[in-house]
Amino acid sequence: MRYEAMWRDLLPIGHVSGGGHRRFSWTAADRECRAWFTEEAHRRGLTLEQDRNGNLFAWWDVPGGAARRDAVLTGSHLDSVPDGGAFDGPLGVVSALAAIDLLRERGVAPARPLGVAVFAEEEGARFGVACLGSRLLTGAIDPVRARGLRDGDGVTWADAMAADGHDPEAIGPDPDLLAGIGCFVELHVEQGRALQTPVGVASAIWPHGRWRFDFTGQGNHAGTTLLPDRRDPMLPFAHTVLAARDAAARHEAVATMGKVRVTPNGVNAIPSAVQAWLDTRAPDDAAVRATVADIRAAAEKAAGEHGVGVTLAEESYTEVVDFRTELRDRLVTTLGGAPVLPTGAGHDAGILSAHVPTAMLFVRNPTGVSHAPEEHAETGDCLAGVEALAAVLENLITS
Ligand code: HGY
Ligand code: MN
Ligand code: MN
């Protein structure tokens, strides 16, 4: 089993001096990640395919098997948030390949195809919509909108794909590929501190969404513009950040404003515009909507007081994902019992769950820290995750 060797080769890709990773779609780091996955797939004699949306699939097909029907799919993603940790995404991919190694060492012969997926743009870190690859595959996003998504430099998804040699006009739903998938099981590092055993099973993904505020004021000189003469968009933005925290506490939700873009972003210039993104999540939809409504009201009130314009656009929203299914119970039974817990983190499994039976395995994260360089999981727990995934996959591909 090449578990350590895979990490040795993968960890340095996109690693930055601050200790985290920057693996953004259609960049050099992404190309290196795809090359790494391609090599690991070929090393195992898996059939590697890239779909029309940039998702990668490595298939262990049944010898002489007919077309892929009722396939078992596992895997996750390799892209990261800015300065992301080593495990969010890669643990699911490395564990899937290592589980195949174990199954082969144990002489398991699949009765149905087993695939390992690497979904594109799961974090939405460059183009703004999370799980873009799985949303495109399932038709959960309009390909026209997807082609036009822009990164911070104004580069579109279409341009970035084309620069990497792929046809952006081809992106969109792939019902044939989807029809061949019988179930999807994603292993992922847990991104909270609720899991107290090496491995757990997901019960649900909280509803969550991303919104963009656009505050528009009047650019001006920082030294010569008197306070009463200012229309500074930074002020209602500041109010909105604090209002987000208050609203989340009020509605037992979480709200984050972690990304802001200031124009012109000069020390001695009053900004003309501030763009700020809101990420809000809660155990139920009503709490998310109520939190966003309160934050919007606070932003509009503060903007009005400062003579600043404000608009709010919903960029993506994911309904609650309920994993209480026969597949989840089958995982728990196969593992001889396992803790079942919800997560506030979004995953491709959440997108696919609307189309194929889907379940998730979590591996303990002792600190709960994620989306940061300090993200960590103990090797012993990760290897327990590989064993659990191998047991689940063996059960699914042989019966
Ligand atoms: O944002 C999320 O929850 C996931 O990491 N994309
Ligand atoms: Mn993530
Ligand atoms: Mn992830």
Side-chain angles (χ1 to χ4, degrees):
M1 182 175 75
R2 282 182 39 83
Y3 183 81
E4 283 77 13
M6 285 192 278
W7 279 116
R8 184 195 61 231
D9 296 341
L10 179 57
L11 276 174
I13 299 176
H15 191 267
V16 291
S17 57
H21 293 81
R22 293 190 169 218
R23 296 171 177 162
F24 305 142
S25 300
W26 313 119
T27 63
D30 185 24
R31 278 190 288 279
E32 286 182 60
C33 284
R34 290 169 184 270
W36 170 86
F37 184 68
T38 300
E39 183 183 339
E40 290 299 331
H42 289 162
R43 193 191 297 273
R44 293 167 177 81
L46 304 177
T47 304
L48 188 88
E49 295 171 1
Q50 176 160 314
D51 75 1
R52 64 184 62 152
N53 298 305
N55 303 308
L56 291 174
F57 297 86
W59 292 104
W60 179 9
D61 286 312
V62 176
R68 284 191 200 109
R69 281 284 167 268
D70 202 23
V72 175
L73 187 66
T74 184
S76 189
H77 63 95
L78 293 175
D79 69 307
S80 74
V81 296
D83 300 347
F87 296 86
D88 175 355
L91 183 63
V93 178
V94 169
S95 300
L97 294 166
I100 287 178
D101 294 343
L102 281 185
L103 294 175
R104 285 174 166 178
E105 287 165 16
R106 296 169 182 171
V108 174
R112 60 175 57 86
L114 172 58
V116 180
V118 174
F119 287 106
E121 187 71 353
E122 189 278 342
E123 295 293 2
R126 183 178 176 191
F127 293 96
V129 173
C131 301
L132 184 58
S134 53
R135 289 179 196 266
L136 281 165
L137 166 62
T138 59
I141 187 169
D142 177 350
V144 174
R145 178 181 174 218
R147 273 193 283 274
L149 293 173
R150 291 182 184 277
D151 70 5
D153 298 322
V155 177
T156 65
W157 175 263
D159 294 342
M161 260 191 111
D164 206 62
H166 310 287
D167 177 11
E169 290 308 313
I171 67 173
D174 193 337
D176 290 344
L177 194 159
L178 213 50
I181 299 171
C183 66
F184 176 52
V185 177
E186 179 171 5
L187 180 145
H188 203 284
V189 65
E190 218 262 313
Q191 294 169 295
R193 287 180 294 179
L195 183 57
Q196 301 303 320
T197 59
V199 175
V201 174
S203 60
I205 295 177
W206 282 11
H208 59 282
R210 297 184 185 191
W211 290 263
R212 189 192 71 252
F213 280 100
D214 282 285
F215 297 97
T216 47
Q218 174 60 57
N220 217 324
H221 195 295
T224 58
T225 311
L226 301 180
L227 296 186
D229 300 333
R230 294 180 178 216
R231 293 196 294 115
D232 181 351
M234 199 63 102
L235 294 171
F237 160 66
H239 278 279
T240 303
V241 175
L242 296 172
R245 178 60 179 248
D246 292 344
R250 209 163 31 249
H251 297 289
E252 294 180 6
V254 289
T256 311
M257 296 188 80
K259 179 178 176 179
V260 62
R261 199 177 284 153
V262 182
T263 301
N265 207 31
V267 172
N268 57 353
I270 300 169
S272 56
V274 172
Q275 276 189 320
W277 282 265
L278 169 68
D279 177 313
T280 301
R281 313 186 189 202
D284 61 85
D285 185 70
V288 176
R289 296 297 182 184
T291 302
V292 174
D294 283 6
I295 299 168
R296 175 187 203 134
E300 290 172 346
K301 179 171 180 297
E305 288 163 358
H306 292 280
V308 168
V310 63
T311 60
L312 179 64
E314 180 174 293
E315 293 196 334
S316 65
Y317 192 77
T318 306
E319 306 283 344
V320 64
V321 175
D322 187 342
F323 288 121
R324 288 174 302 173
T325 63
E326 184 272 333
L327 179 62
R328 184 209 64 180
D329 296 341
R330 187 168 172 180
L331 262 62
V332 174
T333 305
T334 302
L335 299 177
V340 179
L341 65 159
T343 180
H347 300 283
D348 293 303
I351 303 301
L352 264 74
S353 68
H355 301 269
V356 300
T358 300
M360 289 193 76
L361 289 174
F362 290 137
V363 170
R364 176 166 50 189
N365 174 338
T367 66
V369 170
S370 186
H371 284 188
E374 298 79 10
E375 181 185 75
H376 179 70
E378 297 298 337
T379 301
D381 287 349
C382 295
L383 291 173
V386 173
E387 286 287 353
L389 183 60
V392 160
L393 295 176
E394 178 175 359
N395 173 266
L396 291 168
I397 62 177
T398 57
S399 55

